[in-house]
Amino acid sequence: DAGITQSPRHKVTETGTPVTLRCHQTENHRYMYWYRQDPGHGLRLIHYSYGVKDTDKGEVSDGYSVSRSKTEDFLLTLESATSSQTSVYFCAISAQESGTEAFFGQGTRLTVV
Amino acid sequence: SQQGEEDPQALSIQEGENATMNCSYKTSINNLQWYRQNSGRGLVHLILIRSNEREKHSGRLRVTLDTSKKSSSLLITASRAADTASYFCATGSNYQLIWGAGTKLIIKP
């Protein structure tokens, strides 16, 4: 398995609180992605990074921010969690933009109550 | 927006039978990839087919790509109980992969 770890694996938080999810890789891959997965929607891209301090928005970025201060770490922050952000969040890494396979973490199940 | 759309949404077959899943997409692509997701787990890459390829094999997997019809199919031959999972296609263009909603495959013993 590719060296990619997400933490925490499960979290329950209250509406309005900030939440940070962490993705850590040991593969030295340039590209890192945060997705959310909801029934009937497949995977939707939240934000991605193409290098240290280089990030961009994806399809569903509202209410989320990211940071990448080191190659190996990509943080996803929900600034003020809402119930609509209850989801399973996946981090992925790849060596190239979209021309090679992506490797996924095990996911973080986030529940906002 | 969803690029790839898998068909069928769910498929249940007997162990040993072949399973075929289809994926349609809307815009031009550089490649198309298939992934498997076991319940509660992350996605695992199965196979990548480039836009200039028509067919690719990997073990019991066979993928075809028809760029004129903007469609792809994934065939799993001689299915096993361990093939029970959800299967997703993802189309690669520019900086990201765009995903379909998946086909849920159940292999009955």
Side-chain angles (χ1 to χ4, degrees):
Chain A
D1 289 346
I4 177 168
T5 306
Q6 290 184 231
S7 60
R9 292 292 313 280
H10 301 272
K11 186 169 181 67
V12 180
T13 192
E14 293 185 349
T15 298
T17 60
V19 177
T20 295
L21 309 182
R22 181 181 183 236
C23 178
H24 179 78
Q25 62 146 329
T26 58
E27 303 298 318
N28 202 35
H29 281 350
R30 178 180 177 188
Y31 295 88
M32 299 186 75
Y33 306 85
W34 276 108
Y35 291 95
R36 60 178 290 174
Q37 185 178 35
D38 303 288
H41 286 279
L43 288 171
R44 290 183 291 176
L45 182 65
I46 305 170
H47 283 278
Y48 71 102
S49 170
Y50 47 96
V52 174
K53 297 187 179 178
D54 291 324
T55 65
D56 207 347
K57 297 178 179 179
E59 177 189 357
V60 290
S61 60
D62 287 349
Y64 303 94
S65 63
V66 291
S67 65
R68 191 170 178 196
S69 59
K70 297 185 289 184
T71 298
E72 56 267 36
D73 289 326
F74 193 33
L75 304 181
L76 175 71
T77 297
L78 286 67
E79 292 139 8
S80 177
T82 67
S83 59
S84 64
Q85 293 176 312
T86 292
S87 187
V88 180
Y89 291 85
F90 286 99
C91 175
I93 62 174
S94 69
Q96 297 179 22
E97 294 174 346
S98 61
T100 57
E101 65 183 286
F103 299 94
F104 282 79
Q106 293 300 302
T108 295
R109 184 172 294 276
L110 176 68
T111 302
V112 183
V113 298
Chain B
S1 61
Q2 221 158 286
Q3 163 84 308
E5 294 186 7
E6 289 90 343
D7 169 56
Q9 290 185 336
L11 179 61
S12 180
I13 61 173
Q14 292 294 138
E15 192 169 17
E17 293 180 340
N18 295 342
T20 299
M21 289 158 270
N22 303 296
C23 171
S24 61
Y25 58 92
K26 298 172 185 172
T27 64
S28 61
I29 61 172
N30 296 329
N31 63 73
L32 187 143
Q33 303 181 35
W34 285 91
Y35 288 76
R36 183 188 74 232
Q37 184 181 33
N38 292 95
S39 181
R41 307 291 296 271
L43 282 77
V44 174
H45 182 265
L46 295 175
I47 196 165
L48 179 153
I49 185 166
R50 302 198 183 281
S51 59
N52 61 353
E53 297 176 307
R54 291 297 168 258
E55 187 171 313
K56 203 161 183 180
H57 297 255
S58 177
R60 294 184 296 113
L61 306 180
R62 173 178 167 252
V63 169
T64 62
L65 178 65
D66 187 334
T67 53
S68 66
K69 295 181 180 178
K70 291 186 169 56
S71 67
S72 173
S73 67
L74 171 66
L75 168 67
I76 303 174
T77 60
S79 63
R80 305 167 181 169
D83 295 328
T84 293
S86 291
Y87 291 82
F88 295 87
C89 69
T91 51
S93 62
N94 299 322
Y95 61 86
Q96 64 173 302
L97 293 173
I98 303 178
W99 300 80
T103 292
K104 187 163 186 171
L105 175 64
I106 296 173
I107 307 299
K108 296 179 288 186

